[in-house]
């Protein structure tokens, strides 16, 4: 385990940096240049979230990849909000959402808190965090990841 205990809290020994190694960069470039990627020949269906129904009962809504919108005991939370067009630290490369599959921010119910599971770019999306952070009461991140959000001004 790479954590140390101080009192009742655990801390990482080393800060874990977000990085793209040469292997991932090469794969991203290959995927970007590959013109035979599988794309459905139709718009992906997307249901609009019924905010009244969502507010009235415990619910889970999958928004794609790692993103889950949940209502549990009256608290609205979003897990790993990846609401950008591409799952990539770069806006011009990386897997792109299928046309019509992204739930717009204005269709989401009010969010009380954000839960981040880990700091990979497809789980800790800067654009999504920046769009949501002023509207939420709290953001929960793994040990030592608060430094990343602080660097972003959150």
């Amino acid at each position: 385990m790479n954590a140390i205990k101080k009192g009742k809290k655990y801390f990482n020994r080393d800060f874990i940096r977000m990085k793209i190694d040469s292997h991932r960069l090469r794969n991203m470039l290959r995927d970007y240049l590959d013109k035979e990627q599988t794309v459905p020949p139709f718009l992906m269906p997307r249901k609009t979230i019924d905010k009244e129904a969502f507010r009235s009962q415990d619910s889970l809504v999958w928004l794609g990849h790692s993103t889950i919108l949940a209502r549990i005991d009256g608290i609205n939370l979003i897990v790993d909000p990846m609401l950008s067009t591409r799952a990539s630290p770069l806006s011009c490369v990386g897997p792109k959402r299928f046309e019509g599959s992204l739930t717009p921010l204005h269709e989401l119910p009010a969010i009380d808190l954000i839960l981040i599971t880990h700091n990979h770019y497809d789980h800790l999306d800067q654009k999504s965090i920046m769009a949501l952070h002023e509207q939420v009461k709290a953001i929960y991140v793994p040990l030592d990841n608060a430094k990343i959000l602080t660097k972003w001004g959150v």
Side-chain angles (χ1 to χ4, degrees):
M1 186 159 115
N2 194 25
I4 56 174
K5 186 173 181 182
K6 292 182 181 177
K8 294 183 178 182
K9 294 184 178 184
Y10 287 88
F11 297 89
N12 283 344
R13 295 177 192 270
D14 301 310
F15 178 66
I16 301 168
R17 300 192 187 285
M18 291 177 64
K19 66 179 181 176
I20 302 173
D21 58 28
S22 61
H23 176 72
R24 285 193 179 146
L25 190 57
R26 185 172 50 252
N27 286 342
M28 286 171 52
L29 185 59
R30 183 199 67 226
D31 291 344
Y32 178 71
L33 296 174
D34 181 6
K35 300 301 178 195
E36 299 204 15
Q37 293 184 36
T38 304
V39 176
F42 53 86
L43 286 179
M44 294 296 292
R46 182 181 60 79
K47 289 185 74 171
T48 302
I49 298 167
D50 181 340
K51 291 180 187 179
E52 276 305 311
F54 186 84
R55 188 179 6 237
S56 67
Q57 61 190 357
D58 286 355
S59 303
L60 290 174
V61 179
W62 178 61
L63 298 178
H65 186 60
S66 61
T67 307
I68 302 288
L69 174 65
R71 179 167 182 85
I72 302 170
D73 291 336
I75 296 171
N76 293 348
L77 65 109
I78 192 165
V79 179
D80 292 343
M82 176 49 213
L83 303 172
S84 294
T85 303
R86 290 188 184 272
S88 172
L90 306 172
S91 61
C92 59
V93 294
K96 188 175 183 180
R97 287 188 184 273
F98 295 131
E99 188 67 32
S101 65
L102 181 62
T103 300
L105 287 173
H106 72 274
E107 287 187 14
L108 296 176
I111 307 294
D112 297 307
L113 64 94
I114 296 171
L115 174 65
I116 304 297
T117 60
H118 61 288
N119 67 6
H120 291 172
Y121 60 82
D122 58 338
H123 292 256
L124 178 56
D125 178 49
Q126 184 176 9
K127 287 182 184 177
S128 299
I129 296 296
M130 298 308 289
L132 293 170
H133 84 275
E134 291 183 356
Q135 304 166 29
V136 300
K137 297 174 186 169
I139 300 174
Y140 293 90
V141 296
L143 291 175
D144 223 17
N145 282 240
K147 291 178 183 179
I148 295 168
L149 280 83
T150 301
K151 182 179 171 184
W152 294 346
V154 175

